[in-house]
Amino acid sequence: MVWTDRYLDHLAVERGLSANTLAAYRRDLRRYVAFCVKRDVTVPADVDEATIRSFVASISASTWGDDERSYSARSVARALSSVRSFHRFLLREGAVDLDPASAVVQPKLPRSLPHPIAVDEVVRLLEVPDVATPVGLRDRAILEVLYGAGLRISELVGLDVDDVDLDEGFVRVLGKGGKEREVPLGAFAREAVTTYLSRARPEFASKASRAALFLNQRGGRLTRQSCTRLLAACVAAAGIERRVTLHTLRHSFATHLLEGGADVRVVQELLGHASVATTQIYTLVTKDHLREVYYTSHPRARRRAPRKG
């Protein structure tokens, strides 16, 4: 379907979606088109509600990987969301008269709460990099910025040197949908970035570096894969046994702010969330923490069993 290419162009140019988000849409739509073609459905007008329902059922029943794992409910829901969005686009563009996906209900997903790490675990993690080496100075700066500013990894690796204002203590970030925001940099992050720029980045810089802030040892812009590997090594060295991802630091940033009394609207702005509802999930995490502290600390929180005898 030529319309899928037009739709992907629309997402890239008019909505300014990131390369990773576009790749996800592209995968979903390729699978959808292949499914339709197998059923001799080759033009958008021939798609009906039953076709879309069958597509969703086929994903739910299929497996992937050598160990034949089933697709998660979230993956199925994302694929349907891509298809629904595509058909809304077709209707707006006048390619079809009806939207066959409008009656296909999005499955409800179990609410998945963020899993932040504790403040003391963050401190242990940040202290792992060996700041006597250029690589260690870079890694410390990366971790400090991820946690200190709550950036997405795509935002961090996309930073240029000029995006950081160390005098004012701000970093300019290009977030989802091409939306720009400014996020404060705390004292620890500012110090780490300042030291990295003066003592480590010059060791990595080459003609290929251009304006990129965080560089690999060949002078190129650091990738998310490299950041994933450095985080995994630091987590292991810090003795943190739970699963910690790059996004965990963003979760921890938001949760620790709310636990410290920050307003949820402020946290929304710092994270770059379009809707406060997305940010409010972190309040559920802090409520769980408050409940735990209350029941373990208050003398009359739990009724003690009467003494025998």
Side-chain angles (χ1 to χ4, degrees):
M1 292 183 185
V2 177
W3 279 102
T4 57
D5 294 331
R6 294 188 190 180
Y7 176 58
L8 291 169
D9 288 342
H10 161 76
L11 295 178
V13 177
E14 297 186 31
R15 289 184 54 186
L17 298 188
S18 70
N20 291 319
T21 303
L22 281 172
Y25 272 100
R26 187 174 290 108
R27 284 193 301 271
D28 291 336
L29 291 176
R30 280 179 179 170
R31 179 182 293 163
Y32 176 56
V33 170
F35 177 87
C36 291
V37 169
K38 282 184 179 179
R39 283 153 183 77
D40 295 324
V41 178
T42 56
V43 294
D46 290 343
V47 177
D48 58 15
E49 182 182 331
T51 303
I52 298 173
R53 291 187 186 278
S54 297
F55 170 67
V56 174
S58 73
I59 298 176
S60 300
S62 61
T63 58
W64 63 281
D66 294 337
D67 52 356
E68 297 188 342
R69 281 176 285 178
S70 298
Y71 284 95
S72 67
R74 191 169 299 277
S75 294
V76 176
R78 191 204 64 213
L80 175 57
S81 178
S82 297
V83 171
R84 285 163 59 93
S85 179
F86 173 56
H87 279 284
R88 285 197 297 269
F89 171 78
L90 292 174
L91 187 63
R92 286 197 307 271
E93 294 295 307
V96 294
D97 296 325
L98 297 171
D99 177 4
S102 61
V104 182
V105 179
Q106 191 82 2
K108 288 188 177 180
L109 296 173
R111 176 144 51 183
S112 177
L113 293 178
H115 298 287
I117 57 177
V119 174
D120 67 301
E121 290 176 314
V122 172
V123 172
R124 280 159 45 200
L125 183 64
L126 296 175
E127 290 178 346
V128 166
D130 180 3
V131 294
T133 68
V135 170
L137 288 172
R138 181 201 63 190
D139 294 352
R140 169 71 68 85
I142 287 170
L143 295 176
E144 288 282 7
V145 172
L146 282 173
Y147 173 68
L151 303 191
R152 301 176 179 94
I153 185 56
S154 58
E155 296 170 345
L156 179 120
V157 297
L159 289 176
D160 289 337
V161 173
D162 290 343
D163 290 329
V164 182
D165 187 336
L166 294 171
D167 293 330
E168 296 295 327
F170 277 89
V171 58
R172 185 171 60 251
V173 177
L174 191 64
K176 285 188 174 181
K179 293 181 180 178
E180 190 175 285
R181 70 184 190 280
E182 288 190 342
V183 183
L185 274 182
F188 287 92
R190 287 167 70 179
E191 180 182 352
V193 173
T194 300
T195 306
Y196 161 72
L197 286 173
S198 62
R199 293 171 46 196
R201 190 179 184 277
E203 297 291 323
F204 303 135
S206 69
K207 290 182 180 179
S209 303
R210 299 190 178 183
L213 176 60
F214 291 114
L215 305 176
N216 59 36
Q217 294 184 64
R218 297 181 301 280
R221 186 182 293 272
L222 203 66
T223 64
R224 65 166 59 218
Q225 291 81 6
S226 296
C227 290
T228 298
R229 288 193 292 270
L230 81 84
L231 177 67
C234 289
V235 168
I240 300 173
E241 296 182 353
R242 71 173 81 186
R243 181 172 181 265
V244 178
T245 68
L246 292 164
H247 216 66
T248 301
L249 295 179
R250 180 170 160 89
H251 292 326
S252 303
F253 165 83
T255 303
H256 297 164
L257 278 173
L258 290 168
E259 287 179 346
D263 183 87
V264 68
R265 293 278 182 183
V266 173
V267 178
Q268 175 195 359
E269 292 295 323
L270 293 174
L271 292 173
H273 285 162
S275 168
V276 73
T278 308
T279 316
Q280 284 174 332
I281 193 167
Y282 292 105
T283 65
L284 300 177
V285 177
T286 57
K287 283 179 182 177
D288 286 345
H289 176 69
L290 289 173
R291 188 179 296 111
E292 179 184 345
V293 171
Y294 171 75
Y295 278 112
T296 57
S297 305
H298 197 281
R300 293 182 67 81
R302 297 183 187 277
R303 184 181 293 276
R304 292 179 173 82
R307 294 182 180 178
K308 295 182 178 180

